[in-house]
């Protein structure tokens, strides 16, 4: 009601091409997004974009940000044609645009993250590369290392493993030479722990290439374990061993150990991760499903039928019970993506 009255006042004054008018429509679009009324969200964003284009121009931060939101709205309505048209425009802008300040760099980085969330990793890599070049030119080494760290993950999904490893090495050199490197829980130390973790995932994914000789695959898995342990060591040094992030790190390291045949170590790490997650999230959280399922896989490898069945059915029952009813604050599309990512528990009984 108040939104409608505000819009009517602006229309009466013929003041519909201003940033203020755009802000009203953008606020309304947020309301419609939470109500999962995506067509209404798209209408509001389209009007906001028209006003921003007139008041600030097509190269403004807000114009780019609202376009990214509009693309997501069209995807949620199933209108992929319009979403792809916006994507093409964003791609051209992101590749051609010179970043001139930190605010713009942050915006492009956020849009790259959105692209990766939507599965467009190639576009995420291009956009993030602009951010990297900006911080290189600015000689802001900490932000450069953080940007490289994020790019490692995007490169994993585009299978640019060698490039990701080179970026990881560059980020490590920057961070190890920084004056704050010996300060636990500093931005520098935390970023280094993330670099180690991301590199571990790269080496593991690289080692999964079945066309490689077994010896090369083992070397890559060993590298994954090495970097995973380095990340664990930094978390431990910082006293940060009771967090969900640390539990995820342990779960990943369990996967690397299992890849080289060290099933006992994989079980040990997975149980540690499970205990941390249960302590933080309780016994009925969807994130408990993955370590339970992993333990079922590991015990299956040891031919322990009793524990295999125990952990597998715990994972199955938990997923059936909570996966669709949890995170009700999310949109339906986000919940369905979460479901799609985790339904393998049903399909791959050990």
């Amino acid at each position: 009601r108040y939104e409608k009255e505000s819009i009517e006042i602006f229309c009466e004054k013929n003041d519909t091409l201003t940033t203020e008018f755009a802000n009203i429509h953008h606020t309304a679009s947020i309301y419609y997004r939470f109500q999962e009324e995506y067509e209404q969200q798209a209408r509001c964003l389209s009007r906001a974009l028209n006003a921003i284009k007139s008041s600030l121009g097509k190269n403004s931060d807000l114009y780019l940000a609202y376009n990214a939101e509009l693309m997501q709205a069209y995807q949620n309505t199933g209108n992929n044609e319009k979403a792809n048209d916006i994507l093409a425009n964003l791609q051209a802008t992101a590749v051609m645009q010179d970043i001139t300040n930190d605010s713009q760099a942050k915006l492009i980085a956020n849009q790259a993250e959105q692209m990766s969330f939507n599965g467009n990793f190639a576009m995420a890599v291009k956009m993030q590369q602009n951010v990297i070049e900006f911080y290189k030119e600015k000689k802001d080494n900490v932000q450069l290392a953080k940007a490289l760290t994020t790019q490692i993950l995007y490169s994993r999904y585009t299978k640019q493993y060698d490039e990701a490893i080179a970026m990881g090495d560059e980020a490590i050199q920057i961070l190890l030479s920084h004056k704050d490197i010996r300060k636990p829980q500093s931005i520098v130390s935390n970023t280094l722990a993330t670099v180690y973790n991301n590199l571990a995932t790269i080496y593991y994914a690289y080692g999964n290439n079945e066309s490689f000789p077994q010896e090369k695959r083992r070397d890559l898995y060993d590298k994954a374990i090495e970097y995973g342990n380095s990340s664990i060591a930094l978390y431990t040094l910082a006293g940060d061993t009771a967090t969900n992030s640390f539990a995820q790190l342990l779960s990943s390291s369990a996967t690397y150990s299992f890849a080289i045949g060290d099933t006992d170590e994989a079980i040990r790490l997975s149980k540690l991760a499970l205990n941390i997650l249960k302590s933080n999230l309780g016994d009925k959280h969807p994130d408990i499903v993955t370590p339970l399922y992993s333990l079922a896989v590991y015990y299956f490898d040891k031919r322990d039928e009793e524990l295999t069945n125990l952990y597998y059915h715990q994972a199955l029952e938990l997923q059936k019970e909570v996966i669709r009813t949890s995170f009700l604050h999310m949109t339906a599309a986000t919940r369905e993506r979460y479901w799609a990512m985790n339904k393998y528990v049903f399909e791959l009984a050990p």
Side-chain angles (χ1 to χ4, degrees), residues 100-132:
T100 58
N101 55 62
D102 288 303
S103 175
Q104 200 174 25
K106 184 177 179 180
L107 174 67
I108 298 298
N110 288 340
Q111 289 177 346
E113 184 178 18
Q114 185 67 40
M115 291 294 175
S116 73
F117 182 75
N118 292 329
N120 193 335
F121 296 108
M123 189 61 226
V125 167
K126 290 181 181 179
M127 298 177 83
Q128 187 69 12
Q129 190 59 39
N130 277 6
V131 177
I132 290 170

Side-chain angles (χ1 to χ4, degrees), residues 180-249:
D180 291 337
I181 189 57
R182 296 189 181 277
K183 296 180 181 178
Q185 295 187 327
S186 66
I187 293 175
V188 174
S189 179
N190 290 342
T191 302
L192 183 59
T194 305
V195 174
Y196 286 149
N197 183 38
N198 290 357
L199 275 175
T201 68
I202 290 294
Y203 278 109
Y204 174 72
Y206 210 173
N208 285 336
N209 189 332
E210 295 181 356
S211 67
F212 287 162
Q214 196 62 35
E215 183 179 351
K216 181 174 182 178
R217 295 184 68 187
R218 175 59 189 258
D219 288 343
L220 292 166
Y221 288 146
D222 284 342
K223 277 287 189 181
I225 292 172
E226 176 188 336
Y227 280 109
N229 287 341
S230 295
S231 188
I232 289 172
L234 285 177
Y235 270 79
T236 304
L237 183 64
D240 194 17
T241 57
T243 62
N244 296 339
S245 297
F246 188 69
Q248 280 288 36
L249 188 56

Side-chain angles (χ1 to χ4, degrees), residues 4-200:
K4 185 177 180 181
E5 290 177 0
S6 297
I7 291 172
E8 287 176 351
I9 292 172
F10 273 87
C11 290
E12 287 174 4
K13 295 181 178 180
N14 197 27
D15 197 16
T16 59
L17 296 177
T18 62
T19 304
E20 291 77 11
F21 187 71
N23 288 339
I24 292 173
H25 281 292
H26 183 250
T27 301
S29 77
I30 295 172
Y31 166 80
Y32 287 123
R33 185 185 74 208
F34 281 114
Q35 295 299 312
E36 300 184 15
E37 297 179 30
Y38 300 121
E39 290 185 0
Q40 288 282 13
Q41 180 196 3
R43 289 193 190 97
C44 289
L45 285 169
S46 295
R47 293 166 185 158
L49 278 165
N50 189 49
I52 288 296
K53 182 170 66 173
S54 176
S55 60
L56 299 178
K58 294 176 67 174
N59 289 326
S60 68
D61 293 353
L62 278 181
Y63 190 79
L64 295 173
Y66 289 1
N67 257 306
E69 292 181 32
L70 181 58
M71 181 184 70
Q72 185 65 56
Y74 281 135
Q75 287 176 333
N76 287 336
T77 64
N79 193 334
N80 291 325
E81 183 177 352
K82 286 190 175 180
N84 288 335
D85 287 343
I86 294 173
L87 175 60
N89 290 332
L90 284 175
Q91 287 176 334
T93 302
V95 174
M96 295 171 59
Q97 184 178 28
D98 291 327
I99 300 175
T100 58
N101 55 62
D102 288 303
S103 175
Q104 200 174 25
K106 184 177 179 180
L107 174 67
I108 298 298
N110 288 340
Q111 289 177 346
E113 184 178 18
Q114 185 67 40
M115 291 294 175
S116 73
F117 182 75
N118 292 329
N120 193 335
F121 296 108
M123 189 61 226
V125 167
K126 290 181 181 179
M127 298 177 83
Q128 187 69 12
Q129 190 59 39
N130 277 6
V131 177
I132 290 170
E133 295 304 323
F134 168 73
Y135 286 123
K136 278 186 178 179
E137 186 173 339
K138 189 182 177 185
K139 293 182 170 45
D140 187 337
N141 284 340
V142 173
Q143 292 302 322
L144 172 58
K146 292 176 70 174
L148 288 166
T149 303
T150 301
Q151 187 76 308
I152 292 170
L153 285 184
Y154 299 157
S155 298
R156 174 190 173 187
Y157 292 105
T158 57
K159 298 185 177 180
Q160 296 171 290
Y161 301 128
D162 290 323
E163 292 86 344
I165 290 169
M167 285 185 285
D169 290 341
E170 182 179 356
I172 289 170
Q173 289 178 13
I174 291 170
L175 295 167
L176 286 178
S177 63
H178 196 278
K179 61 182 177 62
D180 291 337
I181 189 57
R182 296 189 181 277
K183 296 180 181 178
Q185 295 187 327
S186 66
I187 293 175
V188 174
S189 179
N190 290 342
T191 302
L192 183 59
T194 305
V195 174
Y196 286 149
N197 183 38
N198 290 357
L199 275 175

